[in-house]
Amino acid sequence: MYELIKFVPLIPLIGFLTVGLFGKYLKKEALIGGIASGAVGISFVLSLIIFFDMAGNSPHNPYIVPVFTWISAGDFSVNISYQADQLSILFSLIVTGVGFLIHVYSIGYMHGDRSFYRFFAYLNLFIFMMLNLVLSSNYLLTFLGWEGVGLCSYLLIGFWYDRKFDGVRITWTGDAANKAFIVNRIGDFGFLIAMFLIFLNFNTLEYTHVLDSASSQSSVFYGSGLMTAITLLMFLGCTGKSAQIPLAVWLPDAMAGPTPVSALIHAATMVTAGIFLIARNSVLFALSPVSMEVVMIVGILTAFTAASIGIVQNDFKKVLAYSTVSQLGFMFAALGVGAFTAGVFHVMTHAFFKGLLFLAAGAVIHGMHDEQNIKRMGGLAHHMPTTYKTFFVATLAIAGIPLFSGFFSKDEILWLTFSNGGWFAWLILATAAFFTAFYMFRLLKLVFHGKERFDHHKVHPHEAPKTMLFALVTLAVLSAFGGFLGIPEALGGWFSGHPNMIHNWLHPVFSDAETIILKYAPVHSHPAHIVEYLFMLISIGIAVGGILLAKKFYEDEQWAMPRLLAKKFKGIYNILWNKYYLDNFYFSVIVDPLVTTSRNLLWSVFDVKIIDGFVNGLANVTTSGGQLVRKIQSGIAQNYATLMIGGIVVILTWLLISL
Amino acid sequence: MTALLLTLFLPLAGSILLLFVKREQTQLIKTGALVISLLSFIASVFLLFSFDQSNPGFQFVINQIWVESFDAGFRIGVDGMSMLLLMLTTFISPITILSSFYSIHKRDKEYYVMMLLLQFGMTGVFISLDLFLFYIFWEIILIPMYFIIGVWGGKNRIYAAVKFFIFTVVGSLFMLVAIVWLGHYVGTEIIKNAQGFTTNFMVIRDVSFNIPFDIQKWMFLAFALSFCIKVPLFPLHTWLPDAHTEAPTPGSVILAGVLLKMGTYGLIRFNLELFPQSAFAYASPIAWLAVIGIIYGALVSLVQTDIKKLVAYSSVSHLGFVVLGIFSMTATGIQGAIIQMVNHGLTTGMLFLIVGMIYERRHTREISEFGGIARVMPVFTVFFGIALLGSVGLPGLNGFVGEYLTLIGAFTSPFLDSWAYSIIAASGVIFAACYLLWMFQRVMFGTNDNPQNHNLKDLGKQEWATLVPIVIFIVWIGIYPSTFLNISENSTKALVNKLELIKFGKAKYELPTEMDKIKLEKEQNILNTK
């Protein structure tokens, strides 16, 4: 059954080729959308079959399915080959499952678009690349997927290439697309060098070989500079793809793309590739305590920073984008404290609720005729009841209200951050969680409640079509109940021994890393369940606190309180409004000096003046000859031929004489 | 053997035949040139099918003495490395001739004569097994290329043509001196043949490592200078942007597609194979220049306002990878370099074709003149995008395979003293994305505001025909490069064996043919006696 895994990426590829090459002739939207969605649907079914098979016999080792030799030269050889294990199948299910829903949603969302087929071709290509990323059995094929999803992200951010988009030094959507691609390339550079180091030291790029030999020689590698270098470089790649500090700047601008793209690529799947990569290499990260520390710190800082920016934004999608950056920070924090399962669990629940939030946002934007400013919305709950209800469910989930999916995963992360990472790390993360609850309910209030602040003559909000609602409702169900896959032991232990299904499922993948951490950096003592309950109560308190504050602030139609605060703390407000000036910093410190130097020094001085000046000086001697040539244009052939042949003759004669 | 001769001489015969066609019969001239060039391609395909990949040595060898008195001969043959470049030449040539149909509007007869002569010369360079013959082919190319730039080029064509000529001639003079010295030294000091002189490559390469380093290094440097100008290696590159920008589209395509590869090919064939000890000694400085070139070329591309000049500077960057791979002196790196030569020929060639197409429509190449072209030329956009992504080095397309192998070769090389080469060079992939995507954004996306761009026509049939074959190979090499890598694998390994043998006293690879083992033993003996 595991052999089926090679068809999982293949079918979306066929979908891409069919829709991409023949989409123009297929004409009917339903047909194009059907083919593309169907391809992803089939992949989902195949993943399910493998999943059930795997659930039946819970193999401890990955099953490798080689397809063909990809690149082989000298000592280097790497295959196109796929790997079926618990981690890859879980991601495959998320990608194809959520992917399928978003494909269906897009049929409604993109209705009437000039480039309808192009959109679906790109989406299918994206799914293909993403599946390569997660199913690959080696670093290089993952890298292909890694860059491939980056390409699709680029193509889809700039999908409406003739539309304007507002951002720091961004005028067109295409500028935002470029920014995404280039910032990601900086991260990819890290990934690339990490791969070189891995190949140099392990002589292979196959995951199983590298990870097995690393964990079997853990005493040699633990804390070594090599492991730290490899993992930090890899993590640089993750900060690019998963939008963490210092490379987080591209994701908010990626909102220039159509909303289903934001949901699929920039919330549910692609941006979690960084978490996947660390999870896949958990052994290597476990071997480097320094890198783990770095991952945790970056994760926590990003979670906090992005959440704080999210509080003041007024663009519907940008609030969600900062929220995504922040939630990804939570996941990295989890990985950094060694809670690999919790990180991956949050990837899953986040895919549900954040995918849903974006799709609901898309439904709102669709219904509001491309309006994205939440200050010009309000009272939409009556106009789009289903969208509102699903959005509400997702909001509860992300805020961390008990029993909704986000509660379980986020609470686990907070708890483990406290018990493994210390109280300070927990405090920052908890503050970020508080911000999250606040900005989400701010969003909910401003968009769906209160007075209708839009122009009734121009805008007539309406509920989304059925294809879109289908995706919303399905995701709402998952957002509500998906968390039960990972009931914490402290709670579920009353009912059965190991209630945390996700933990059990991923155990074979992370057991090596967990063993290493236990062996070299044991957590001193596990606090009692009672402490865990206490923290659970605290995190519920935080969520409710954030919600109540937002309610109080925005109940009042004048927004007197927030306005007062913004005025009073103008400095802080400006920092947040300008996203901590990170974009401006990069432009003035890196981009501008580089371009100026290239233009004014390298090109105009070095190339033109120094090198060419030198050569031209030499050539002045020959210029007289050149002048001659200029006058007798057509005669040059013979002249030069004669000269050449003459030269050769002279040389030959000289040779003959001298020998 | 016949196929090899046909591949080589068909273009020459064609160019002579064209001389007898009346100037007015342009259609006949065009079709004739294309047919001949295609026939040469077909001959090379036959050659490829009878080529034995497991044999690392030269095949289809013709060894005909020509100038008895200094043992110069008509000696030709191909091994895996030259096979790939030969195929590149015969593949690119018909495409450029086809592209000339819509970009050359004057003096057709002379033009196509020159093009075929050029093809003859390029083919010859890649298959010569005699230094004298090699030199003749090397110089033959100069003449048609000089005229193609100087007669059919842009505004500053004369300046560019003269600059191209001077740069190359300076290099070749050094090479000529080195050839004479080498032939003389080997003839009198080592093999001591009757003439006291030889230009037979197959003889020289088996013994040349016995030349004392103090002498060898000068020969190495002379060859290297000539080849590095051609590549071009930083800081010898300034002729290239001018030549590229001023040359007509097909000229640029040939220049980027094939001509530059003569330099990198020469570095492998002569510098590595004939002067291994010097190669060890000079690997680091050359690799540094390559790395500087990668970054420098990319940075200068970043600030170009003319699309063609941008692509031209990107060549400096891309060929840096090739040189780095070559001087890693590992099988991985050299294989990467060879495939990167092919890649650069395809993608940069294609980019020049694309720039040419837009130039034909608008007679300008200034980036600021464009914007929003995607709306009026959707098919063109797709082709442009593919070439661009190949050039950026996106995995799954050709450029990635070459860049990756050269980098990993340099990273794992026992001959290079540092990881820094690969690490700095790898940062070039970031800049490549910057300059190409910025240009693409400004030309293709946004709104189509310039009235002159409102009615641009999308690609015609002939334009399709020139681009589709290249796209096929861009994808093919990206997904299944083994087809191509396998051709040169064993020849590369044989070369690396020789290098490792001389440096570390031990060959690295088991090679499949008996013949090569014998050769290795022979070399071992020579080493022992030294």
Side-chain angles (χ1 to χ4, degrees), chain A residues 24 68-76 80 114 129 140 143-145 147-148 151 154-155 158 161-164 172-175 177-178 181-182 185-187 189 192-193 195-197 199-201 205 226 591 594-596 598-599 601-603 606-608 611-612 615-616 619 622 626 629-630 633-638 640-641 644 648 651-652 654-656 659, chain B residues 69-70 107 114 132 139 143 146-147 151 157-159 162-163 165-167 176 180 184 195-197 234-235 237-238 241-242 296 299-300 302-304 309 313 331-332 335 374-375 379 389 392-396 400-401 404-405 407-408 411-412 419 422-423 426-427 429-431 433-434 437-438 440-441 444-447 478-482 485 489 493 508-509:
Chain A
K24 217 182 189 167
F68 61 84
T69 304
W70 180 19
I71 304 177
S72 163
D75 307 321
F76 180 83
I80 299 281
R114 213 160 35 83
M129 289 297 182
L140 203 63
F143 189 71
L144 175 129
E147 288 243 307
L151 167 71
Y154 165 81
L155 293 171
Y161 54 81
D162 48 6
R163 292 195 188 178
K164 297 233 178 196
W172 303 99
T173 57
D175 296 323
N178 277 358
F181 196 86
I182 290 165
R185 271 254 152 157
I186 298 172
F189 163 77
L192 207 59
I193 308 291
M195 264 195 291
F196 293 161
L197 282 170
F199 181 75
L200 188 69
N201 288 284
L205 287 179
L226 176 71
V591 182
L594 204 66
V595 172
T596 318
S598 305
R599 182 179 294 125
L601 187 71
L602 296 185
W603 186 35
F606 193 78
D607 241 50
V608 176
I611 305 180
D612 269 6
V615 178
N616 285 344
T622 3
V629 169
R630 203 184 292 246
Q633 268 232 21
S634 65
I636 17 185
Q638 288 86 334
Y640 269 88
M644 289 301 306
I648 294 173
I651 292 154
L652 292 185
W654 173 76
L655 273 175
L656 286 174
L659 292 173
Chain B
S69 55
F70 56 96
R107 295 180 169 280
M114 291 295 173
F132 178 69
E139 294 292 293
I143 304 165
Y146 174 82
F147 286 114
V151 176
R157 55 180 184 267
I158 305 287
Y159 170 73
V162 172
K163 197 171 177 183
F165 193 84
I166 291 172
F167 264 84
L176 182 62
V180 173
H184 182 67
Q195 296 96 326
F197 199 98
F234 175 89
H237 63 274
T238 61
D242 285 315
Y296 185 90
L299 286 178
V300 177
L302 208 58
V303 296
Q304 297 305 315
K309 217 161 192 172
Y313 270 108
T332 314
Q335 281 285 79
R375 176 58 68 89
V379 178
L389 293 168
V392 165
L394 191 85
F400 176 71
V401 179
Y404 191 80
L405 288 177
L407 289 175
I408 209 157
F411 202 78
T412 55
W419 291 347
S422 286
I423 295 176
S427 71
V429 302
I430 302 172
F431 298 120
C434 294
L437 291 183
W438 281 358
F440 199 58
Q441 154 69 18
M444 306 310 295
F445 298 147
T447 45
I479 293 171
Y480 196 72
S482 304
L485 288 168
E489 178 86 4
K493 281 181 172 168
K508 190 165 180 184
Y509 299 104

Side-chain angles (χ1 to χ4, degrees), chain B residues 58-88:
Chain B
F58 290 107
Q59 301 175 39
F60 318 113
V61 175
I62 295 174
N63 187 346
Q64 182 68 47
I65 202 78
W66 182 11
V67 188
E68 182 77 55
S69 55
F70 56 96
D71 193 29
F74 180 77
R75 302 184 173 101
I76 57 171
V78 286
D79 70 349
M81 298 184 229
S82 41
M83 189 71 224
L84 274 175
L85 294 169
L86 177 68
M87 292 307 299
L88 178 68

Side-chain angles (χ1 to χ4, degrees), chain A residues 610-629:
Chain A
I610 299 182
I611 305 180
D612 269 6
F614 175 73
V615 178
N616 285 344
L618 265 179
N620 275 343
V621 188
T622 3
T623 318
S624 41
Q627 295 296 343
L628 205 72
V629 169

